[in-house]
């Protein structure tokens, strides 16, 4: 039989995963405690028990969970350059366009820009994204290619909420763009280790 601590941890995990999936499907503007609880299969009281201030306690945990998960995948590959990291993210988006960490993170980041209380909870965590995920120092200039590919990554994530979004068109556009950029040396092996898949062929 599960202990109280195990049940509590399982409830928190369901709430976090429900929040991530709703952000992915509906966007931040339609995120609500009611929807989160329905998706997680828990009561509103359970949400408030674990996260007393609702989204203001929940979303910082969501952001940290998403960043930490991606960070651990990068760390498992050993030393990586910023260019290698952004290539891995883009090719992962190409392979799994419906499951992009960037979508949830960018929505919360944009919401925090206009919500001081939310920013107080997530701002410091977002400040850690550059070193933890991209291997970059905010005080040092990024090389043009890495920066341009970061623009592409963020744009691909946000495009999902455009009226003309189509998953096949997104995949085709990413494939076309990546086909014009030289992959880092040894990238195929790193990508296989990162995703368990082979690098998609450009179209």
């Amino acid at each position: 039989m599960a202990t109280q601590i195990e049940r509590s941890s399982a409830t928190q995990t369901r709430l976090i995963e429900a929040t991530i999936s709703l952000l992915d499907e509906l966007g931040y503007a339609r995120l609500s405690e009611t929807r989160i609880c329905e998706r997680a299969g828990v009561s509103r009281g359970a949400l408030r028990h674990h996260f007393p201030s609702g989204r203001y306690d929940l979303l910082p945990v969501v952001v940290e969970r998403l960043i930490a998960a991606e960070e651990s995948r990068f760390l498992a590959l050993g030393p990586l350059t910023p260019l290698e990291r952004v290539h891995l993210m883009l090719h992962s988006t190409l392979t799994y366009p419906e499951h992009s960490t960037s979508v949830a993170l960018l929505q919360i980041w944009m919401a925090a820009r206009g919500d001081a209380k939310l920013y107080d909870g997530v701002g410091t965590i977002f400040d850690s994204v550059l070193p933890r995920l991209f291997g970059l120092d905010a005080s040092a200039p990024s090389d043009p290619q890495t920066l341009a590919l970061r623009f592409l990554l963020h744009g691909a994530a946000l495009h999902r909420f455009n009226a003309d979004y189509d998953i096949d068109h997104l995949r085709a556009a990413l494939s076309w763009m990546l086909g014009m950029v030289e992959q880092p040396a040894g990238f195929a092996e790193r990508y296989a280790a990162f995703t368990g898949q082979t690098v998609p062929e450009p179209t």
Side-chain angles (χ1 to χ4, degrees):
M1 180 177 293
T3 66
Q4 179 61 37
I5 292 176
E6 289 171 336
R7 288 194 296 271
S8 178
S9 177
T11 299
Q12 290 183 46
T13 296
R14 288 200 300 272
L15 288 165
I16 291 167
E17 291 178 348
T19 301
I20 294 169
S21 66
L22 288 169
L23 284 168
D24 202 36
E25 295 171 19
L26 303 178
Y28 183 85
R30 296 171 66 190
L31 183 71
S32 68
E33 291 186 15
T34 299
R35 284 194 169 105
I36 292 170
C37 291
E38 289 175 351
R39 179 65 59 89
V42 304
S43 68
R44 182 87 172 268
L47 185 151
R48 286 286 176 160
H49 171 73
H50 292 286
F51 304 102
S53 295
R55 72 176 63 201
Y56 293 107
D57 286 333
L58 174 58
L59 290 177
V61 177
V62 168
V63 171
E64 176 57 33
R65 178 73 64 90
L66 287 169
I67 292 172
E70 288 296 290
E71 180 184 28
S72 67
R73 295 175 70 203
F74 286 128
L75 291 174
L77 298 180
L80 294 168
T81 67
L83 185 61
E84 287 174 320
R85 287 168 178 259
V86 76
H87 265 276
L88 287 169
M89 292 184 206
L90 279 167
H91 281 85
S92 294
T93 300
L94 179 59
T95 304
Y96 306 107
E98 294 183 315
H99 303 283
S100 174
T101 297
S102 296
V103 172
L105 289 177
L106 281 173
Q107 289 188 81
I108 298 171
W109 178 81
M110 289 189 297
R113 303 294 290 180
D115 186 331
K117 186 174 180 180
L118 179 58
Y119 183 81
D120 287 343
V122 302
T124 301
I125 308 172
F126 274 117
D127 287 344
S128 73
V129 166
L130 275 181
R132 293 172 67 184
L133 298 191
F134 292 97
L136 292 166
D137 182 345
S139 64
S142 179
D143 75 89
Q145 185 180 16
T146 300
L147 184 58
L149 291 177
R150 283 173 56 203
F151 294 161
L152 179 61
L153 176 68
H154 295 158
L158 290 176
H159 179 63
R160 180 172 309 191
F161 302 104
N162 284 340
D164 64 344
Y165 171 72
D166 180 277
I167 191 170
D168 293 326
H169 294 166
L170 173 63
R171 183 180 280 116
L174 277 176
S175 180
W176 174 79
M177 189 68 210
L178 289 171
M180 296 193 296
V181 180
E182 184 179 356
Q183 295 176 2
F187 178 74
E189 291 77 12
R190 289 189 181 277
Y191 184 77
F194 191 65
T195 65
Q197 303 287 328
T198 58
V199 177
E201 292 292 331
T203 57

